[in-house]
Amino acid sequence: MIARARAAMMQAMIRPLIAALASLAVPAAAQDTPPPPASVVVAFDRESITPLIAEGMRNFDSREPVEFNDPVRIASISKLIMALAALRLMDEGKLDLDRDVSDYLGWKLRSPHHPDAPVTLAHLLSHRAGLSDAGGYFIPLGASLEAKLADPAAWRDTGPPGAAAFEYANLGSPLVATALEAASGERYDRLVERLVFAPLGVKACFNWVGCGPDLEARAVTLYRHTGEVAADAPDRLPPACTIPVAEGVECSLENYVPGTNASIFSPQGGVRIGMMDLAKIGQALFDNRGAEHFLSANAQTLFLQSMVSAINENPPFGSEAGFCGYALASYVLVDAPPCLDDLFMDGVERFGHGGEAYGLRSGLWIALGQGTSFAYFTTAVPPPSGEVETAASDPRETELMQRALALAGERDD
């Protein structure tokens, strides 16, 4: 793995020079052809992180080649990071995942279909609260989170919270993030920096708030499969406004009160981070060995046992929607019963979270036993077909993972 890492790093060093020389040699007409979309894959285990694939351009206009740790909007892997922040806050004794979330929010949160049933953070993190994205899930600065949840379109009736049928709902994330703010007294982006990013030596941010010029200069622009810009083009980065803001409201966090509306940080999908740094987060979840434990033994057990319990349901919880064993913002990926998602097609059980938004597909998949763990993204991917969306739904993503397995020495091709 060390030899492959050195080779990949050397490749990363010479890639900008090659790109510059190529731009001089290629006729002008050929330079008008859109560059290939960006894709990055890194492998990791407990001890090391190995860069495997970095190809394509982080921006079509500048034609700058993507590098292994260039920051990208990782979409729903952000939910897993949110769950880790919640577990860390639990370890500090400031949070109870099974407590009525209304106690943190300061107002009563109830499903109109089950007005006597409390909603907990565990319900929200596992998509078992009865929420729906049918009425939307963006609550801009200046708007009311409480009013959004009072809309009947935010709920559906498939059972009381905790027993409700699985429905993947981004709307739960603003509630969780706002509750974390209320429990800690800290703004959500700063809380995650303190609890997750800083302890792991990670450079990351939410909606570019606090990332700084160095990361902004390496931002990966997201494109749809048509070539249209979807997110994070240079003109959409600071000093442009990067948070959702209600009409007539100033784009400023100066007067924001933690515990009111953390939706402005897009906790459901707004983390910007490079794949080398994302792999560091994956490494922290292997176990609790070492002098410094990222999670307590109690938190680690709760995190993993929640997935085991979800898998043991009949059918495995979330599997009918393509999320086998979903619990606390994580699920299981394996091509073996009872979970059948063949992204890697190697029979290795991995857990983590995938992402799909703005033409991007991403994943953080951790192998606790035998097998290699991966952090990756690829861009300009066609939108979901509307059928059950699994990690293996996109052929290009599947092909990328097969190449990564070969480079990691787990495929003979």
Side-chain angles (χ1 to χ4, degrees), residues 141-356:
L141 182 68
S144 167
L145 180 65
E146 181 178 4
K148 184 68 174 179
L149 272 297
D151 183 353
W155 302 89
R156 74 305 195 292
D157 185 12
T158 57
F166 180 89
E167 181 173 325
Y168 193 87
N170 289 287
L171 183 57
S173 295
L175 285 168
V176 174
T178 302
L180 297 190
E181 287 188 332
S184 65
E186 301 172 71
R187 211 173 73 183
Y188 180 67
D189 61 322
R190 294 170 176 169
L191 178 69
V192 178
E193 172 68 24
R194 179 177 70 83
L195 293 177
V196 181
F197 298 154
L200 298 177
V202 163
K203 299 295 184 184
C205 64
F206 290 85
N207 283 352
W208 297 109
V209 177
C211 255
D214 289 344
L215 263 66
E216 292 165 13
R218 297 188 287 109
V220 176
T221 301
L222 296 183
Y223 296 91
R224 304 193 188 281
H225 69 292
T226 58
E228 173 191 2
V229 172
D232 290 349
D235 62 347
R236 303 186 190 184
L237 303 180
C241 185
T242 58
I243 60 173
V245 176
E247 186 175 355
V249 174
E250 182 184 5
C251 183
S252 171
L253 293 173
E254 184 176 351
N255 297 319
Y256 175 73
V257 178
T260 55
N261 177 23
S263 176
I264 57 178
F265 301 107
S266 300
Q268 74 282 351
V271 170
R272 270 66 169 187
I273 189 172
M275 294 304 97
M276 299 292 282
D277 278 336
L278 184 59
K280 292 179 183 178
I281 295 176
Q283 284 181 314
L285 296 177
F286 277 117
D287 56 33
N288 287 300
R289 294 182 300 178
E292 297 182 3
H293 298 168
F294 180 68
L295 295 177
S296 69
N298 178 58
Q300 182 98 2
T301 299
L302 174 62
F303 180 62
L304 296 176
Q305 186 58 50
S306 295
M307 278 183 285
V308 172
S309 298
I311 290 172
N312 287 337
E313 293 193 23
N314 188 20
F317 183 69
S319 59
E320 294 180 347
F323 300 93
C324 189
Y326 200 108
L328 300 185
S330 190
Y331 56 104
V332 176
L333 195 68
V334 66
D335 184 22
C339 302
L340 300 175
D341 202 337
D342 59 353
L343 174 61
F344 293 94
M345 296 183 285
D346 61 356
V348 173
E349 182 175 301
R350 296 176 174 88
F351 77 91
H353 211 295
E356 184 279 314

Side-chain angles (χ1 to χ4, degrees), residues 389-406:
E389 186 70 9
T390 66
S393 296
D394 178 63
R396 207 175 81 218
E397 184 180 11
T398 303
E399 185 271 339
L400 185 67
M401 291 300 97
Q402 295 307 299
R403 288 169 54 201
L405 284 168

Side-chain angles (χ1 to χ4, degrees), residues 52-125:
L52 297 179
I53 299 170
E55 60 190 21
M57 303 295 172
R58 65 183 177 217
N59 180 271
F60 287 180
D61 293 328
S62 69
R63 304 184 80 89
E64 295 172 318
V66 70
E67 301 293 334
F68 285 107
N69 208 33
D70 286 345
V72 68
R73 187 185 190 278
I74 56 169
S76 289
I77 305 174
S78 305
K79 296 180 176 69
L80 173 54
I81 292 172
M82 180 174 64
L84 298 180
L87 289 168
R88 293 269 287 171
L89 200 59
M90 183 188 76
D91 279 343
E92 290 186 345
K94 298 177 181 178
L95 197 73
D96 183 346
L97 298 185
D98 295 320
R99 184 177 176 180
D100 187 341
V101 75
S102 304
D103 295 341
Y104 298 111
L105 295 172
W107 44 273
K108 194 170 184 177
L109 177 71
R110 289 292 186 270
S111 164
H113 309 290
H114 302 277
D116 298 324
V119 178
T120 71
L121 288 168
H123 299 158
L124 294 167
L125 286 167

